[in-house]
PDB file of all heavy atoms in Angstrom:
ATOM      1  N   GLY A  80       9.826 -29.374  -0.974  1.00  0.00           N
ATOM      2  CA  GLY A  80      10.525 -29.092   0.277  1.00  0.00           C
ATOM      3  C   GLY A  80      10.291 -27.720   0.860  1.00  0.00           C
ATOM      4  O   GLY A  80      10.836 -27.390   1.916  1.00  0.00           O
ATOM      5  N   GLY A  81       9.474 -26.893   0.200  1.00  0.00           N
ATOM      6  CA  GLY A  81       9.275 -25.541   0.718  1.00  0.00           C
ATOM      7  C   GLY A  81       8.334 -24.718  -0.136  1.00  0.00           C
ATOM      8  O   GLY A  81       7.339 -25.234  -0.670  1.00  0.00           O
ATOM      9  N   ALA A  82       8.657 -23.430  -0.307  1.00  0.00           N
ATOM     10  CA  ALA A  82       7.794 -22.529  -1.082  1.00  0.00           C
ATOM     11  C   ALA A  82       8.592 -21.310  -1.524  1.00  0.00           C
ATOM     12  O   ALA A  82       9.638 -20.986  -0.944  1.00  0.00           O
ATOM     13  CB  ALA A  82       6.586 -22.090  -0.251  1.00  0.00           C
ATOM     14  N   VAL A  83       8.094 -20.628  -2.539  1.00  0.00           N
ATOM     15  CA  VAL A  83       8.676 -19.370  -3.011  1.00  0.00           C
ATOM     16  C   VAL A  83       7.573 -18.319  -3.055  1.00  0.00           C
ATOM     17  O   VAL A  83       6.397 -18.656  -3.228  1.00  0.00           O
ATOM     18  CB  VAL A  83       9.311 -19.520  -4.412  1.00  0.00           C
ATOM     19  CG1 VAL A  83      10.496 -20.457  -4.363  1.00  0.00           C
ATOM     20  CG2 VAL A  83       8.280 -20.013  -5.422  1.00  0.00           C
ATOM     21  N   PRO A  84       7.914 -17.050  -2.884  1.00  0.00           N
ATOM     22  CA  PRO A  84       6.879 -16.008  -2.864  1.00  0.00           C
ATOM     23  C   PRO A  84       6.344 -15.691  -4.254  1.00  0.00           C
ATOM     24  O   PRO A  84       7.114 -15.595  -5.208  1.00  0.00           O
ATOM     25  CB  PRO A  84       7.600 -14.801  -2.260  1.00  0.00           C
ATOM     26  CG  PRO A  84       9.043 -15.010  -2.599  1.00  0.00           C
ATOM     27  CD  PRO A  84       9.252 -16.504  -2.590  1.00  0.00           C
ATOM     28  N   VAL A  85       5.056 -15.528  -4.363  1.00  0.00           N
ATOM     29  CA  VAL A  85       4.435 -15.156  -5.631  1.00  0.00           C
ATOM     30  C   VAL A  85       4.961 -13.811  -6.092  1.00  0.00           C
ATOM     31  O   VAL A  85       5.164 -13.583  -7.285  1.00  0.00           O
ATOM     32  CB  VAL A  85       2.898 -15.116  -5.485  1.00  0.00           C
ATOM     33  CG1 VAL A  85       2.246 -14.488  -6.709  1.00  0.00           C
ATOM     34  CG2 VAL A  85       2.363 -16.528  -5.270  1.00  0.00           C
ATOM     35  N   GLU A  86       5.221 -12.902  -5.158  1.00  0.00           N
ATOM     36  CA  GLU A  86       5.646 -11.548  -5.526  1.00  0.00           C
ATOM     37  C   GLU A  86       6.928 -11.559  -6.334  1.00  0.00           C
ATOM     38  O   GLU A  86       7.130 -10.743  -7.210  1.00  0.00           O
ATOM     39  CB  GLU A  86       5.827 -10.682  -4.274  1.00  0.00           C
ATOM     40  CG  GLU A  86       6.180  -9.241  -4.597  1.00  0.00           C
ATOM     41  CD  GLU A  86       5.977  -8.317  -3.421  1.00  0.00           C
ATOM     42  OE1 GLU A  86       5.342  -8.728  -2.445  1.00  0.00           O
ATOM     43  OE2 GLU A  86       6.455  -7.179  -3.494  1.00  0.00           O
ATOM     44  N   ARG A  87       7.837 -12.492  -6.063  1.00  0.00           N
ATOM     45  CA  ARG A  87       9.076 -12.552  -6.827  1.00  0.00           C
ATOM     46  C   ARG A  87       8.898 -13.246  -8.170  1.00  0.00           C
ATOM     47  O   ARG A  87       9.716 -13.098  -9.061  1.00  0.00           O
ATOM     48  CB  ARG A  87      10.160 -13.280  -6.025  1.00  0.00           C
ATOM     49  CG  ARG A  87      10.666 -12.461  -4.862  1.00  0.00           C
ATOM     50  CD  ARG A  87      11.997 -12.963  -4.382  1.00  0.00           C
ATOM     51  NE  ARG A  87      12.542 -12.084  -3.369  1.00  0.00           N
ATOM     52  CZ  ARG A  87      13.817 -12.122  -2.974  1.00  0.00           C
ATOM     53  NH1 ARG A  87      14.650 -12.971  -3.508  1.00  0.00           N
ATOM     54  NH2 ARG A  87      14.245 -11.286  -2.040  1.00  0.00           N
ATOM     55  N   MET A  88       7.828 -14.033  -8.282  1.00  0.00           N
ATOM     56  CA  MET A  88       7.583 -14.741  -9.525  1.00  0.00           C
ATOM     57  C   MET A  88       6.919 -13.833 -10.552  1.00  0.00           C
ATOM     58  O   MET A  88       7.157 -13.952 -11.741  1.00  0.00           O
ATOM     59  CB  MET A  88       6.682 -15.948  -9.273  1.00  0.00           C
ATOM     60  CG  MET A  88       7.312 -17.008  -8.390  1.00  0.00           C
ATOM     61  SD  MET A  88       6.050 -18.109  -7.772  1.00  0.00           S
ATOM     62  CE  MET A  88       5.284 -18.609  -9.304  1.00  0.00           C
ATOM     63  N   ASN A  89       6.086 -12.914 -10.108  1.00  0.00           N
ATOM     64  CA  ASN A  89       5.363 -12.023 -11.002  1.00  0.00           C
ATOM     65  C   ASN A  89       5.920 -10.620 -10.875  1.00  0.00           C
ATOM     66  O   ASN A  89       6.305 -10.187  -9.797  1.00  0.00           O
ATOM     67  CB  ASN A  89       3.873 -11.988 -10.638  1.00  0.00           C
ATOM     68  CG  ASN A  89       3.233 -13.348 -10.825  1.00  0.00           C
ATOM     69  OD1 ASN A  89       3.523 -14.028 -11.799  1.00  0.00           O
ATOM     70  ND2 ASN A  89       2.397 -13.744  -9.886  1.00  0.00           N
ATOM     71  N   HIS A  90       5.948  -9.885 -11.981  1.00  0.00           N
ATOM     72  CA  HIS A  90       6.451  -8.512 -11.938  1.00  0.00           C
ATOM     73  C   HIS A  90       5.572  -7.649 -11.038  1.00  0.00           C
ATOM     74  O   HIS A  90       6.051  -6.800 -10.302  1.00  0.00           O
ATOM     75  CB  HIS A  90       6.485  -7.926 -13.351  1.00  0.00           C
ATOM     76  CG  HIS A  90       6.949  -6.519 -13.409  1.00  0.00           C
ATOM     77  ND1 HIS A  90       8.202  -6.117 -12.969  1.00  0.00           N
ATOM     78  CD2 HIS A  90       6.335  -5.383 -13.826  1.00  0.00           C
ATOM     79  CE1 HIS A  90       8.339  -4.814 -13.135  1.00  0.00           C
ATOM     80  NE2 HIS A  90       7.230  -4.346 -13.656  1.00  0.00           N
ATOM     81  N   GLU A  91       4.265  -7.885 -11.098  1.00  0.00           N
ATOM     82  CA  GLU A  91       3.325  -7.077 -10.320  1.00  0.00           C
ATOM     83  C   GLU A  91       2.646  -7.945  -9.270  1.00  0.00           C
ATOM     84  O   GLU A  91       1.919  -8.865  -9.588  1.00  0.00           O
ATOM     85  CB  GLU A  91       2.272  -6.473 -11.249  1.00  0.00           C
ATOM     86  CG  GLU A  91       1.344  -5.506 -10.532  1.00  0.00           C
ATOM     87  CD  GLU A  91       0.407  -4.829 -11.494  1.00  0.00           C
ATOM     88  OE1 GLU A  91       0.390  -5.174 -12.676  1.00  0.00           O
ATOM     89  OE2 GLU A  91      -0.325  -3.927 -11.053  1.00  0.00           O
ATOM     90  N   PRO A  92       2.887  -7.679  -7.974  1.00  0.00           N
ATOM     91  CA  PRO A  92       2.325  -8.522  -6.924  1.00  0.00           C
ATOM     92  C   PRO A  92       0.811  -8.384  -6.809  1.00  0.00           C
ATOM     93  O   PRO A  92       0.239  -7.350  -7.136  1.00  0.00           O
ATOM     94  CB  PRO A  92       3.012  -8.023  -5.650  1.00  0.00           C
ATOM     95  CG  PRO A  92       3.403  -6.614  -5.968  1.00  0.00           C
ATOM     96  CD  PRO A  92       3.723  -6.607  -7.434  1.00  0.00           C
ATOM     97  N   MET A  93       0.176  -9.445  -6.332  1.00  0.00           N
ATOM     98  CA  MET A  93      -1.254  -9.414  -6.087  1.00  0.00           C
ATOM     99  C   MET A  93      -1.566  -8.476  -4.928  1.00  0.00           C
ATOM    100  O   MET A  93      -0.727  -8.193  -4.075  1.00  0.00           O
ATOM    101  CB  MET A  93      -1.756 -10.818  -5.746  1.00  0.00           C
ATOM    102  CG  MET A  93      -1.499 -11.855  -6.830  1.00  0.00           C
ATOM    103  SD  MET A  93      -2.447 -11.575  -8.324  1.00  0.00           S
ATOM    104  CE  MET A  93      -4.087 -12.043  -7.772  1.00  0.00           C
ATOM    105  N   VAL A  94      -2.821  -8.001  -4.894  1.00  0.00           N
ATOM    106  CA  VAL A  94      -3.252  -7.086  -3.850  1.00  0.00           C
ATOM    107  C   VAL A  94      -3.007  -7.667  -2.471  1.00  0.00           C
ATOM    108  O   VAL A  94      -2.483  -6.996  -1.580  1.00  0.00           O
ATOM    109  CB  VAL A  94      -4.741  -6.727  -4.030  1.00  0.00           C
ATOM    110  CG1 VAL A  94      -5.267  -5.983  -2.807  1.00  0.00           C
ATOM    111  CG2 VAL A  94      -4.934  -5.890  -5.278  1.00  0.00           C
TER     112      VAL A  94
END
Side-chain angles (χ1 to χ4, degrees):
V83 295
V85 170
E86 184 164 347
R87 288 199 174 195
M88 295 163 54
N89 297 319
H90 178 60
E91 186 174 6
M93 301 292 287
V94 169

